[in-house]
Amino acid sequence: MSFIETKPESDFSIHNIPFGIISTEHNPAPRVATRIGDFAVDLSVLAQAGLFVSIFNDAQGVFSQPTLNLFMTLGKPVWTATRRHIQKLLSAGEPTLRDNKELLQRAIFPVSAVKTHLPANIGDYTDFYASKEHATNVGIMFRGKENALMPNWTHLPVGYHGRASSVVVSGTELKRPKGQRVVVKGEAPQFGPSLRMDCELEMAFLVGTGNDLGEPISIDNAKDHMFGVVLMNDWSARDIQAWEYVPLGPFLGKNFGTTVSAWVVTMDALEPFLVPGPVQDPKPMAYLAENGATAYDINLEVKLKPAEGTKYSVISRSNLKYMYWSFAQQLAHHTVNGCNMRAGDLCGSGTISGPTEDSFGSLLELSWSGAKDIQLEEGITRKFLHDNDEMILAGWCEKDGVRVGFGECHGKILPARQ
């Protein structure tokens, strides 16, 4: 237990210890923090007090950075030792921080009093297509049941390179994108605001330590290169995407904005929630072959608040354990050709859908491409997002009384630029 009160339903117990970037009114410089319960802990202040000298050199310089990138380059042994040391400092039986009232006052803030920032400088962003249920649903809509999955899909993790510059932190509002779209099937395209704005329930891992050009990351040590995981909403303008994506794939329909949660949950914190992944048929090639538990039992929720409503409605409940291709397989495949990853690179899972209709991870699936209404609170319905609609993604693990969560990934769609 911690000397800082944490509610049982909190995502941020002492078992979590995520990492993020905060600023405050009295110190607007972004710097590294962790979170416990409803409080943010300024790690730069603790480093200045010399509380990390036993873990690594220049902790003050590392935790005073405006991103996590420098800390991530130090490698898994340092990440693990730092997290354990923070757990010790915050534990109820450890007096070092608990009994230092002056240091507590300078280092610990209510989360309501801090501003969170994008946790990393994201140099490159890759989005995978790793949910078999989602890929099948979309394939049925556009190609029919007989050709739902393309021939390569069960042999490798399909992915594409996204736009890193438009990745934003939770709470950032995005304008509805404009582009070419076909309004009436068979007619010429028109230019204008997207009429089929969608969300995508995803998770993503941040690369911590990279690899040299030409030297792949093996499946056996892929996890050691991953710093941690965030929630991700990869917003999609489905009509713009549908017109543009042949033959090269997503472009303007996706690159206008991607939202990630503010707190990065480490792989160490997720380790207790490993479970067997889906059976893979055909058997993956040797460079993708894994042993043991490969999936994470992370409960996921999608909530929507319509512009004309006052309440959020849960429109989907899913789980990361449904994802066909694991995070380790995604990273191993990404680098098998010698592609060099760098600290801060973001790799998204692709939309995570489960086996039932109420576990689909996008409005495209929930409305079946607009054929059905999605029922919300207060008698309101949606097929796709309207202006000023708000979305929240949530995720958490729970086992044997231990809860580890991600907080919220919140976004709002504003009207298109006039």
Side-chain angles (χ1 to χ4, degrees):
M1 293 182 63
S2 173
F3 65 85
I4 297 176
E5 182 181 356
T6 307
K7 299 173 184 175
E9 67 272 18
S10 173
D11 282 351
F12 303 104
S13 68
I14 199 168
H15 302 284
N16 192 340
I17 310 300
F19 292 88
I21 301 295
I22 66 163
S23 62
T24 54
E25 183 179 356
H26 296 295
N27 183 359
R31 65 265 190 200
V32 180
T34 188
R35 178 169 172 176
I36 184 162
D38 294 327
F39 295 89
V41 182
D42 188 336
L43 298 183
S44 71
V45 172
L46 300 190
Q48 290 165 14
L51 298 189
F52 292 101
V53 292
S54 62
I55 307 299
F56 62 97
N57 295 326
D58 194 27
Q60 182 173 339
V62 170
F63 289 144
S64 296
Q65 297 290 314
T67 69
L68 292 170
N69 291 58
L70 183 55
F71 178 54
M72 292 192 290
T73 64
L74 300 180
K76 184 174 176 58
V78 172
W79 312 333
T80 298
T82 301
R83 176 174 170 270
R84 288 175 179 168
H85 186 61
I86 294 169
Q87 286 176 317
K88 180 183 177 182
L89 289 173
L90 294 174
S91 64
E94 172 60 46
T96 304
L97 184 57
R98 182 197 66 197
D99 296 347
N100 190 332
K101 302 304 180 185
E102 184 271 336
L103 186 57
L104 285 174
Q105 188 173 11
R106 290 193 295 117
I108 298 182
F109 309 94
V111 288
S112 58
V114 305
K115 180 181 180 181
T116 53
H117 302 265
L118 197 64
N121 178 19
I122 300 167
D124 288 295
Y125 159 44
T126 302
D127 197 28
F128 285 94
Y129 196 47
S131 164
K132 190 174 186 179
E133 288 81 1
H134 172 68
T136 300
N137 288 339
V138 174
I140 290 171
M141 282 182 225
F142 296 117
R143 292 185 298 274
K145 286 186 177 181
E146 297 75 17
N147 301 299
L149 289 180
M150 300 301 282
N152 63 346
W153 200 93
T154 55
H155 293 271
L156 55 82
V158 173
Y160 73 96
H161 292 292
R163 183 72 184 174
S165 64
S166 55
V167 178
V168 297
V169 73
S170 175
T172 306
E173 297 177 338
L174 294 169
K175 292 179 181 177
R176 181 179 296 268
K178 290 182 176 181
Q180 292 189 28
R181 68 279 195 278
V182 175
V183 178
V184 180
K185 189 175 181 179
E187 294 188 2
Q190 301 176 19
F191 179 84
S194 171
L195 303 175
R196 289 163 67 92
M197 268 297 301
D198 199 356
C199 66
E200 287 191 347
L201 171 62
E202 300 196 27
M203 302 201 80
F205 66 86
L206 281 162
V207 173
T209 51
N211 56 303
D212 293 331
L213 182 66
E215 297 296 328
I217 294 173
S218 75
I219 192 74
D220 295 327
N221 64 8
K223 288 181 185 176
D224 292 342
H225 289 263
M226 301 177 198
F227 177 71
V229 179
V230 293
L231 294 165
M232 190 171 93
N233 185 349
D234 194 22
W235 306 89
S236 296
R238 297 296 185 185
D239 44 358
I240 296 173
Q241 182 182 355
W243 174 243
E244 73 182 2
Y245 85 102
V246 178
L248 292 182
F251 189 35
L252 302 185
K254 304 285 285 187
N255 67 8
F256 62 93
T258 299
T259 306
V260 296
S261 51
W263 297 100
V264 185
V265 178
T266 66
M267 308 311 294
D268 285 335
L270 296 176
E271 196 73 14
F273 306 98
L274 277 166
V275 293
V279 175
Q280 296 182 323
D281 183 23
K283 186 178 178 181
M285 294 184 185
Y287 79 93
L288 292 172
E290 289 185 278
N291 296 313
T294 61
Y296 295 94
D297 186 7
I298 302 176
N299 301 293
L300 298 169
E301 219 172 52
V302 181
K303 293 184 278 190
L304 192 161
K305 184 169 79 69
E308 68 272 35
T310 61
K311 299 179 181 178
Y312 277 96
S313 300
V314 176
I315 59 172
S316 177
R317 290 185 173 92
S318 191
N319 196 298
L320 184 64
K321 68 183 180 183
Y322 299 134
M323 186 169 67
Y324 187 88
W325 293 107
S326 73
F327 283 148
Q329 288 174 320
Q330 291 167 35
L331 186 56
H333 182 68
H334 201 317
T335 64
V336 73
N337 67 341
C339 173
N340 54 318
M341 309 295 287
R342 295 174 294 188
D345 285 353
L346 183 73
C347 292
S349 63
T351 304
I352 302 161
S353 292
T356 58
E357 288 188 22
D358 60 355
S359 63
F360 293 168
S362 66
L363 302 183
L364 178 70
E365 295 165 271
L366 291 167
S367 73
W368 207 252
S369 194
K372 303 177 183 178
D373 283 333
I374 301 167
Q375 298 294 327
L376 308 177
E377 299 279 353
E378 303 169 293
I380 300 169
T381 62
R382 283 290 185 271
K383 298 179 189 293
F384 293 96
L385 295 173
H386 293 192
D387 289 346
N388 298 309
D389 283 356
E390 298 182 52
M391 304 289 307
I392 288 178
L393 309 185
W396 69 94
C397 316
E398 208 156 12
K399 180 182 178 182
D400 300 330
V402 173
R403 182 182 173 105
V404 170
F406 296 79
E408 293 183 344
C409 180
H410 171 265
K412 181 178 182 178
I413 296 297
L414 300 178
R417 181 180 59 84
Q418 296 300 313

